[in-house]
Amino acid sequence: MKKYISGLLMGAVLISGFSFSAIEAEAATKAVAYKNCTELNKVYKGGVAKDAKTTNKGGKTKYKPFVSAELYKLNAKSDRDKDGIACEK
């Protein structure tokens, strides 16, 4: 009986830990309008692309951009060369 109760408690801890992590992950992926490229690049080193097919007009970059249409839309003002990637590095 002790093993059964112990197993239930352990399962409850794992489930609650998993759901908490899922909530944290969801909150972390909310789209944010950044003040400038310095702030955006702290979170997304390669910038933000509006889709996976977008290519960089400016040439070689160090980092691959994060793909998110919603995030790009909020930060499109930072896409100076209008290639579909905001703040590429």
Side-chain angles (χ1 to χ4, degrees):
M1 184 70 165
K2 281 185 178 181
K3 286 183 180 181
Y4 178 74
I5 292 173
S6 176
L8 285 176
L9 290 174
M10 184 62 95
V13 169
L14 290 174
I15 291 170
S16 66
F18 176 73
S19 64
F20 181 70
S21 296
I23 291 168
E24 281 182 295
E26 185 179 328
T29 59
K30 276 197 166 179
V32 176
Y34 290 92
K35 185 169 64 172
N36 53 40
C37 283
T38 303
E39 296 298 315
L40 187 137
N41 288 140
K42 287 179 183 177
V43 180
Y44 305 101
K45 288 187 183 236
V48 177
K50 64 179 166 182
D51 63 43
K53 295 178 183 177
T54 304
T55 57
N56 182 14
K57 285 183 186 174
K60 190 174 180 180
T61 58
K62 289 183 182 180
Y63 306 102
K64 187 175 178 180
F66 179 78
V67 178
S68 170
E70 183 180 6
L71 189 58
Y72 175 81
K73 186 177 177 181
L74 289 172
N75 294 284
K77 69 184 185 322
S78 298
D79 185 6
R80 290 188 218 152
D81 57 0
K82 306 294 183 222
D83 64 352
I85 306 171
C87 302
E88 62 264 26
K89 260 189 169 182

